[in-house]
């Protein structure tokens, strides 16, 4: 982005001055204007050499008499802060001592901060500190193995831009105002058809609330349906994004283990108010929840009077079998809130997702969302409605599915020599990532550290667990990387894993050889 021009900076200063001189205060107006301008010139906020607007324009914009403005400017010229050039206008003086504005206390501290490049330490709330535990450091850039990143290079950008332009031109003026409908009706209708036909979700368009990504859906649900101190069951291992929202709402998180059949609900678990699950494709293990477990979960929710948040984040991408019907479609008690996102099928920066609400929650959730988050992006929603209705949604989904299937195969190929000697990979029948299970935490930490040295970010599986130490492994996203990048990074990972394994084997043989009685 272009840096702010000195003219634009000047406009901001005039705007601020206009408010300042309009405030009720003592002293003549020309003195207040003089002081305001001098302070800003001294602080280096106005670039030396930039031209001031004419006194006539200044008077108009500051709502002052022209003589008042002239008196202030003349004083500043007399003191050397401004200079006039015949026929050209009035300029901020180019005084050497003002170049760095180092004498101005405000500017000095701003500069010190900028040059240090570090924010001062602040005392966060304990909730804020826990929240940051789920937030990667700002130095973590998306890379080859970043989980959850779609193939941005395959997104039909030209088509999307055409649609956006058309809908921008057509947008009714009222869309510029505050919205409270729960989303553009055309989008909710198109989504309703899609969800009914492809995900076996039972709903009417009115039950769909458009939100700014699944994340906002989780946050809204937690705030509206729970009180601080209430308990939420979360999958172990599970999705940090949802856990962060529940932490922010002051919930007590209770980790419920996931096995080969999905979330394992035992009879003696403490009663929850909220239950978060990814039944179609458990995140991150990749397991699909069996029908038996789904029915047991619905029964538990009914027994405890709890709400189930069904996070169906990437079920469009199934490779082996057809799509799995949503848990919501089995729910006769109105306990399931189905959350979906466009982050995977389109792109995460779009920030659009949706919640399919049980009837009883339609009105409260719509009103709470409009109050808490404000609705918006109606033009984008309207373009998206056409994108879906015209079939542009299903075609890219099919294309992306093929692309991801191919990229997963590429990663498997790259890791195959390691798999042949013991590296265990998840089945990968769906989704955008694989899990590589590791034998121990030392290997997990070593691989992550070596990856950092090579500019390859690796997500340690153990960090997806609420209760340490968690199972060691790596969550390997493959969808957002090109085939060549996967070959390169996959090859690197295979070599590193094989080298670590060789070292481990060698040291265990030495141990055996040096144990008492080894030669006997
Ligand atoms: C398990 C899971 N749920 C939901 C989401 C989608 O979140 P959002 O719609 O806020 O981008 C993600 C994204 O990575 C995810 O991994």
């Amino acid at each position: 982005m272009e840096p702010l021009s000195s003219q634009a900076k000047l406009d901001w200063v005039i705007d601020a001055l206009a408010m300042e001189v309009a405030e009720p205060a003592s002293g003549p107006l020309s003195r207040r204007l003089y002081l305001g301008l001098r302070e800003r010139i001294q602080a280096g906020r106005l670039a030396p050499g930039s031209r001031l607007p004419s006194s006539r324009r200044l008077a108009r914009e500051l709502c002052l008499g022209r003589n008042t403005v002239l008196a202030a400017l003349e004083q500043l010229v007399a003191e050397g802060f401004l200079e006039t050039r015949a026929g050209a206008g009035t300029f901020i003086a180019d005084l050497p001592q003002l170049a760095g504005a180092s004498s101005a206390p405000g500017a000095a501290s701003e500069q010190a901060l900028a040059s240090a490049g570090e924010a001062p330490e602040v005392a966060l709330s304990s909730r804020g500190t826990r929240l940051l535990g789920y937030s990667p450091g700002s130095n973590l850039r998306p890379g080859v193995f970043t989980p959850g990143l779609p193939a941005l290079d395959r997104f039909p950008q030209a088509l999307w831009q055409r649609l956006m332009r058309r809908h921008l031109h057509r947008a009714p003026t009222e869309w510029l105002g505050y919205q409270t409908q729960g989303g553009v009706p055309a989008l909710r209708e198109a989504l309703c058809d899609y969800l009914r036909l492809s995900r076996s979700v039972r709903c009417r368009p009115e039950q769909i609330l458009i939100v700014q990504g699944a994340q906002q859906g989780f946050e809204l649900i937690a705030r509206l349906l729970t009180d601080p101190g209430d308990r939420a069951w979360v999958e172990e291992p599970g999705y940090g994004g949802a856990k962060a929202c529940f932490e922010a709402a002051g919930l007590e998180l209770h980790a419920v283990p996931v096995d080969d059949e999905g979330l394992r609900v035992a009879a003696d678990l403490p009663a929850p108010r909220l239950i978060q699950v990814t039944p179609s494709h458990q995140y991150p293990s990749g397991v699909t929840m069996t029908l038996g477990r789904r029915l047991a979960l619905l029964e538990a929710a009914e027994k405890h009077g709890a709400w189930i948040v069904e996070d169906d984040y990437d079920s469009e991408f199934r490779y082996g079998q057809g799509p799995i019907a949503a848990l919501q479609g089995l729910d006769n008690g109105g306990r399931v809130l189905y959350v979906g996102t466009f982050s995977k099928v389109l792109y995460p920066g779009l920030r659009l997702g949706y919640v399919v609400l049980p009837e009883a929650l339609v009105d409260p959730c719509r009103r709470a969302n409009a109050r808490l988050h404000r609705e918006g992006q109606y033009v984008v929603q309207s373009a998206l409605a056409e994108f879906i209705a015209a079939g542009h949604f299903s075609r890219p989904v099919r294309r992306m599915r093929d692309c991801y299937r191919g990229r997963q195969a590429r990663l498997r190929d790259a890791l195959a020599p390691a798999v042949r000697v013991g590296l265990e990979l998840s089945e990968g029948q769906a989704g955008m990532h694989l899990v590589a299970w590791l034998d121990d935490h030392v290997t997990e930490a070593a691989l992550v550290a070596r990856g950092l040295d090579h500019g390859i970010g690796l997500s340690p599986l153990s960090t997806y667990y609420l209760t340490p130490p968690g199972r060691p492994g790596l969550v390997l996203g493959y969808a957002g990387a090109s085939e060549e990048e996967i070959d390169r990074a996959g090859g690197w990972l295979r070599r590193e894993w094989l080298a670590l394994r060789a070292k481990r084997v060698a040291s265990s043989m030495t141990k055996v050889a040096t144990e008492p009685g080894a030669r006997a």
Side-chain angles (χ1 to χ4, degrees):
M1 206 172 71
E2 295 241 337
L4 210 58
S5 71
S6 48
Q7 196 52 52
K9 281 186 194 158
L10 204 55
D11 287 345
W12 284 115
V13 167
I14 292 167
D15 199 45
L17 278 172
M19 286 189 269
E20 221 168 271
V21 292
E23 274 171 18
S26 57
L29 286 170
S30 67
R31 174 93 189 141
R32 281 155 61 186
L33 177 59
Y34 155 80
L35 286 174
L37 266 173
R38 197 184 77 172
E39 185 191 306
R40 285 166 174 84
I41 296 171
Q42 273 183 314
R45 298 208 179 104
L46 293 171
S50 53
R51 189 160 75 95
L52 277 188
S54 68
S55 55
R56 216 179 293 276
R57 191 187 136 202
L58 274 177
R60 200 172 53 244
E61 293 191 7
L62 296 168
C63 298
L64 296 175
R66 186 155 171 246
N67 285 340
T68 307
V69 171
L70 281 171
L73 296 187
E74 275 162 18
Q75 182 70 25
L76 289 164
V77 171
E79 290 177 9
F81 290 101
L82 296 177
E83 57 187 31
T84 50
R85 295 180 204 157
T90 307
F91 294 80
I92 309 295
D94 195 1
L95 301 173
Q97 70 271 30
L98 293 182
S102 53
S103 58
S109 55
E110 278 168 26
Q111 274 179 0
L113 268 185
S115 63
E118 279 172 21
E121 282 220 355
V122 286
L124 296 176
S125 64
S126 51
R127 177 177 49 202
T129 308
R130 284 197 305 278
L131 206 59
L132 286 193
Y134 298 103
S135 315
S138 46
N139 58 348
L140 249 186
R141 298 242 172 89
V144 186
F145 291 134
T146 303
L149 201 64
L152 301 177
D153 55 327
R154 304 286 175 109
F155 179 68
Q157 213 156 347
L159 167 72
W160 180 245
Q161 281 167 0
R162 260 199 321 278
L163 277 175
M164 283 290 289
R165 269 197 299 275
R166 189 153 75 232
H167 285 263
L168 195 58
H169 277 122
R170 279 191 203 157
T173 314
E174 66 255 28
W175 282 2
L176 304 181
Y178 291 111
Q179 306 301 325
T180 55
Q181 299 177 63
V184 167
L187 177 59
R188 292 150 80 204
E189 278 157 27
L191 253 179
C192 189
D193 286 341
Y194 161 69
L195 292 172
R196 271 201 304 237
L197 295 171
S198 115
R199 307 291 308 116
S200 307
V201 168
R202 290 187 288 180
C203 66
R204 301 177 302 116
E206 293 73 19
Q207 283 174 262
I208 299 178
L209 175 69
I210 306 294
V211 285
Q212 288 173 32
Q215 196 68 8
Q216 196 179 68
F218 300 142
E219 210 208 334
L220 179 73
I221 291 167
R223 287 196 186 276
L224 199 64
L225 301 180
T226 66
D227 286 312
D230 281 349
R231 187 175 297 111
W233 286 356
V234 292
E235 294 171 314
E236 181 84 321
Y239 179 46
K243 286 187 259 192
C245 290
F246 302 157
E247 284 277 10
L251 300 187
E252 182 201 309
L253 304 193
H254 186 88
V256 180
V258 168
D259 63 18
D260 290 352
E261 297 186 46
L263 193 78
R264 201 173 66 225
V265 176
D268 58 352
L269 288 175
R273 185 97 185 101
L274 205 66
I275 305 169
Q276 203 267 345
V277 273
T278 47
S280 300
H281 185 230
Q282 203 276 327
Y283 191 82
S285 73
V287 167
T288 302
M289 192 188 257
T290 59
L291 180 62
R293 288 283 174 87
R294 288 174 191 236
L295 296 174
L297 179 60
L298 288 168
E299 197 183 312
E302 198 63 49
K303 179 175 118 190
H304 295 300
W307 301 103
I308 298 176
V309 182
E310 177 177 14
D311 176 10
D312 203 13
Y313 63 104
D314 72 353
S315 54
E316 287 83 6
F317 305 118
R318 294 204 72 84
Y319 314 121
Q321 64 217 118
I324 306 288
L327 175 69
Q328 192 266 9
L330 297 172
D331 171 32
N332 292 321
R335 295 257 138 231
V336 176
L337 293 94
Y338 176 95
V339 180
T341 178
F342 290 105
S343 290
K344 312 293 167 188
V345 183
L346 299 182
Y347 59 97
L350 185 65
R351 301 315 306 142
L352 277 182
Y354 46 92
V355 186
V356 180
L357 298 158
E359 291 286 357
L361 293 179
V362 170
D363 186 56
C365 281
R366 187 183 46 73
R367 281 170 41 212
N369 184 52
R371 178 76 282 179
L372 210 55
H373 301 304
R374 296 287 194 209
E375 290 184 29
Q377 306 193 57
Y378 268 37
V379 175
V380 185
Q381 291 187 31
S382 157
L384 183 53
E386 186 180 339
F387 191 82
I388 299 174
H392 301 311
F393 188 71
S394 51
R395 277 193 295 276
V397 165
R398 279 198 293 272
R399 267 203 312 274
M400 303 275 251
R401 197 181 293 138
D402 288 344
C403 164
Y404 295 168
R405 188 190 282 120
R407 288 182 175 180
Q408 190 196 113
R410 208 76 179 221
L411 180 56
R412 283 188 184 283
D413 282 351
L415 297 176
V419 171
R420 278 197 288 278
V421 291
L423 178 66
E424 200 189 331
L425 287 182
S426 58
E427 286 186 15
Q429 286 166 348
M432 302 157 72
H433 68 268
L434 287 175
V435 174
W437 313 100
L438 299 173
D439 289 335
D440 54 75
H441 293 91
V442 175
T443 308
E444 184 190 77
L447 286 171
V448 170
R450 283 169 196 239
L452 274 183
D453 289 344
H454 283 78
I456 296 176
L458 291 170
S459 304
L461 175 66
S462 59
T463 60
Y464 290 68
Y465 286 76
L466 197 63
T467 319
R471 194 172 166 189
L474 298 171
V475 181
L476 302 170
Y478 52 75
S482 70
E483 284 67 14
E484 295 69 33
E485 286 171 326
I486 293 174
D487 289 348
R488 228 174 301 127
W492 170 84
L493 181 57
R494 177 192 69 230
R495 287 190 297 279
E496 291 293 331
W497 186 86
L498 285 172
L500 285 173
R501 178 182 172 273
K503 239 193 222 167
R504 241 192 7 247
V505 171
S507 84
S508 65
M509 277 165 63
T510 319
K511 228 164 106 198
V512 170
T514 53
E515 265 171 15
R519 252 181 283 163

